[in-house]
């Protein structure tokens, strides 16, 4: 079958002519299925409401199963449908819920399960001991950023502050697990409910990507 790419400008407008779609040839590479790791690798998905549904991790498990990758395991405090589908995250959460003292968090989003009051900081090892049986942390996927825009009253939208929190979280991960790989996932394309200010939304997205780069 044919593979088509719809080309859009930086504002998300689909590039068309009056009669036909404008197509462009785009080179791409189809990667081979990765080999199954020789030993068990643990993956922690962290996020907000998009993660909280458990659908992202559920799809990941389906892909792992389809590829025959038996030495990958999801870890985390929460699970959805099955105990194997594990992750961390709740609706409305942002980087503050992964970095800040719970006493300073907004009342509607008061939790940070990485926080260790005995040291006054987040403690990745303690989280893994409490919610992942003390397993090693090999990969962590952070799907965060949306609520710094759409819930900025509670979570704040200053990306300089966000950048500091991102760096602090990654530093703590690598202090405890130096070989862990961290994947930062940017804000997805906004739905119709945010069309009232598309330029602001896209500008925020691009600025966030620059932090994650």
């Amino acid at each position: 079958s044919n593979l088509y790419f719809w080309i859009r400008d930086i504002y998300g407008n689909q590039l068309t002519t009056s009669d036909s779609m404008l197509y462009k040839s785009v080179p791409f590479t189809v990667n081979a299925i990765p080999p199954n790791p020789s030993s068990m690798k643990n993956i922690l998905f962290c996020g907000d409401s998009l993660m909280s549904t458990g659908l992202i991790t559920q799809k990941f498990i389906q892909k792992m199963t389809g590829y025959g990758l038996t030495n990958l395991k999801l870890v985390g405090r929460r699970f959805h449908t099955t105990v194997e589908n594990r992750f961390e995250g709740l609706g409305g959460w942002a980087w503050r819920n992964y970095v800040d003292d719970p006493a300073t968090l907004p009342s509607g989003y008061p939790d940070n399960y990485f926080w260790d009051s005995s040291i006054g900081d987040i403690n990745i090892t303690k989280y893994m001991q409490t919610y992942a049986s003390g397993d090693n942390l090999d990969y962590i996927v952070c799907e965060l950023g949306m609520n710094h825009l759409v819930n900025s009253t509670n979570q704040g939208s200053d990306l300089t502050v966000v950048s500091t929190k991102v760096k602090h979280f990654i530093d703590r991960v690598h202090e405890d697990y130096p070989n862990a790989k961290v994947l930062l996932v940017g804000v997805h394309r906004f739905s119709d409910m945010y069309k009232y200010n598309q330029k602001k939304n896209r500008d925020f997205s691009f600025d966030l990507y620059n932090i994650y780069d």
Side-chain angles (χ1 to χ4, degrees):
S1 61
N2 295 327
L3 178 64
Y4 297 102
F5 291 90
W6 280 259
I7 309 301
R8 300 177 185 273
D9 63 21
I10 63 171
Y11 299 108
N13 299 313
Q14 192 166 283
L15 300 179
T16 63
T17 64
S18 57
D19 299 316
S20 62
M21 180 68 63
L22 175 64
Y23 293 108
K24 180 179 180 181
S25 176
V26 179
F28 65 95
T29 301
V30 177
N31 294 319
I33 296 174
N36 195 36
S38 58
S39 60
M40 185 64 68
K41 302 297 181 183
N42 299 303
I43 307 171
L44 173 60
F45 281 80
C46 296
D48 46 36
S49 59
L50 297 178
M51 191 64 66
S52 181
T53 65
L55 297 180
I56 292 175
T57 44
Q58 180 177 309
K59 187 66 175 180
F60 185 81
I61 290 173
Q62 291 173 352
K63 289 291 185 182
M64 288 195 305
T65 302
Y67 293 151
L69 302 177
T70 57
N71 276 343
L72 295 175
K73 182 175 75 171
L74 303 190
V75 297
R77 179 182 63 91
R78 302 192 61 214
F79 68 90
H80 174 73
T81 306
T82 65
V83 294
E84 291 78 23
N85 182 8
R86 307 197 76 91
F87 54 90
E88 181 58 79
L90 286 169
W93 278 19
W95 280 106
R96 295 183 64 188
N97 297 97
Y98 290 88
V99 174
D100 290 3
D101 183 343
T104 68
L105 294 175
S107 59
Y109 313 95
D111 300 315
N112 178 359
Y113 292 94
F114 290 90
W115 189 257
D116 184 351
S117 59
S118 68
I119 63 172
D121 199 353
I122 56 174
N123 187 333
I124 311 302
T125 296
K126 183 178 179 180
Y127 178 93
M128 293 297 291
Q129 290 172 342
T130 305
Y131 301 113
S133 303
D135 290 343
N136 187 56
L137 180 59
D138 299 289
Y139 300 95
I140 182 166
V141 180
C142 299
E143 174 276 309
L144 288 163
M146 171 71 79
N147 288 311
H148 289 294
L149 176 63
V150 302
N151 192 12
S152 60
T153 301
N154 289 301
Q155 298 291 14
S157 59
D158 185 336
L159 288 179
T160 301
V161 175
V162 173
S163 177
T164 300
K165 296 185 187 303
V166 173
K167 184 178 186 304
H168 184 80
F169 185 82
I170 294 174
D171 286 346
R172 295 293 85 78
V173 169
H174 284 151
E175 281 183 5
D176 290 354
Y177 302 96
N179 297 319
K181 304 294 190 299
V182 182
L183 174 63
L184 301 176
V185 181
V187 176
H188 64 83
R189 183 174 180 271
F190 291 92
S191 65
D192 289 348
M193 69 181 292
Y194 301 117
K195 281 187 175 180
Y196 68 92
N197 201 343
Q198 283 194 352
K199 184 178 186 303
K200 176 186 175 183
N201 296 342
R202 293 193 185 95
D203 287 349
F204 179 91
S205 299
F206 293 142
D207 290 340
L208 186 69
Y209 296 154
N210 287 334
I211 289 175
Y212 287 178
D213 188 14

